[in-house]
């Protein structure tokens, strides 16, 4: 989902976008090589694989309009960075075999050490009864979001969901304006 959000921000909204992989799994290093740099570019996004926590302040001072940070299961180690973020989105895997991890995340985030933040909780293809149980137990709302099979080809029907996750309401959507053709009369 974070790769899809990055692509949408860059290609759909025209924002100068960076994606930081902070979980340490090196998943995006299998996608493309950095070729001697600490990032690679794809579809207008600068991807920083295996980004180091201590380098976040440096990157924040670069001219990015949007920085998507993927903490993965290492979110606990990045509490301070998460608290500094303008928009906090936690993707919950509510499948029966992963529900314990979602509950652990909700417990952790609701701890007083997290400053009472109210993030956006989202889930893809959540079973209704599991989702409702989670919402009732933790007094949260879990937003249903679309599954995006190819993060480089986001369907039009997913645009409103992407806008919502990125913090744009329907009234202030920032999509690129299409170029108008100019016709001259002969």
């Amino acid at each position: 989902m974070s790769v899809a959000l990055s692509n949408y921000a860059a290609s759909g909204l025209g924002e100068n976008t960076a994606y930081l992989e902070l979980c340490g799994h090196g998943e995006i290093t299998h996608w493309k090589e950095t070729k001697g740099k600490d990032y690679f570019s794809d579809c207008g996004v600068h991807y920083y694989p295996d980004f180091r926590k201590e380098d976040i302040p440096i990157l924040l001072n670069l001219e990015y309009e949007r920085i998507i940070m993927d903490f993965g299961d290492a979110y606990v180690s990045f509490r301070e960075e998460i608290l500094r973020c303008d928009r906090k989105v936690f993707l919950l895997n509510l499948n029966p075999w992963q529900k314990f991890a979602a509950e652990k995340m909700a417990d952790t985030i609701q701890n007083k050490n997290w400053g009472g933040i109210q993030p956006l909780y989202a889930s893809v293809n959540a079973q209704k009864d599991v989702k409702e149980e989670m919402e009732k137990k933790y007094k949260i709302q879990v937003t249903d979001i679309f599954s995006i099979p190819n993060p480089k080809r986001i369907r039009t029907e997913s645009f409103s969901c992407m806008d919502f996750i990125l913090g744009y309401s329907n009234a202030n959507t920032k999509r690129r304006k299409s170029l108008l053709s100019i016709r001259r009369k002969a």
Side-chain angles (χ1 to χ4, degrees), residues 2-179:
S2 53
V3 172
L5 285 168
S6 300
N7 283 321
Y8 180 73
S11 299
L13 303 177
E15 295 178 341
N16 189 10
T17 305
Y19 169 93
L20 310 182
E21 181 187 46
L22 296 161
C23 58
H25 297 306
E27 293 172 359
I28 64 171
T29 56
H30 302 290
W31 184 6
K32 268 191 170 178
E33 292 183 34
T34 57
K35 297 181 182 175
K37 296 188 264 182
D38 54 351
Y39 70 93
F40 65 87
S41 295
D42 190 51
C43 296
V45 178
H46 289 167
Y47 290 91
Y48 292 84
D50 292 325
F51 201 74
R52 297 178 333 168
K53 182 179 184 175
E54 56 270 14
D55 292 333
I56 292 174
I58 295 166
L59 192 94
L60 291 175
N61 288 313
L62 298 179
E63 295 185 17
Y64 290 111
E65 295 172 90
R66 176 80 58 183
I67 299 174
I68 307 284
M69 297 185 202
D70 187 347
F71 300 103
D73 55 5
Y75 65 92
V76 174
S77 303
F78 291 93
R79 183 182 75 83
E80 291 80 15
E81 286 72 20
I82 291 172
L83 292 175
R84 287 185 194 104
C85 290
D86 295 332
R87 185 93 168 140
K88 300 156 189 70
V89 179
F90 289 92
L91 187 60
L92 302 175
N93 186 342
L94 296 179
N95 293 317
W97 56 91
Q98 287 291 320
K99 186 177 155 201
F100 72 94
E103 289 177 338
K104 180 181 173 189
M105 180 186 285
D107 277 334
T108 301
I109 293 165
Q110 290 187 346
N111 184 305
K112 66 179 179 175
N113 293 338
W114 281 69
I117 64 171
Q118 297 296 316
L120 169 66
Y121 293 99
S123 185
V124 178
N125 300 325
Q127 295 175 359
K128 186 178 179 182
D129 58 330
V130 175
K131 177 186 164 205
E132 288 174 353
E133 178 188 335
M134 188 82 174
E135 289 176 329
K136 184 177 179 180
K137 182 176 181 179
Y138 293 98
K139 296 178 178 66
I140 61 174
Q141 179 180 352
V142 179
T143 302
D144 291 317
I145 56 175
F146 292 103
S147 173
I148 299 176
N150 184 347
K152 291 184 176 183
R153 300 201 191 280
I154 302 166
R155 295 188 199 135
T156 309
E157 58 267 16
S158 298
F159 288 177
S160 62
C161 179
M162 294 282 142
D163 287 336
F164 177 72
I165 292 170
L166 291 173
Y168 293 113
S169 67
N170 291 337
N172 70 353
T173 301
K174 185 186 171 183
R175 282 194 206 95
R176 280 188 184 164
K177 294 178 175 63
S178 58
L179 298 174

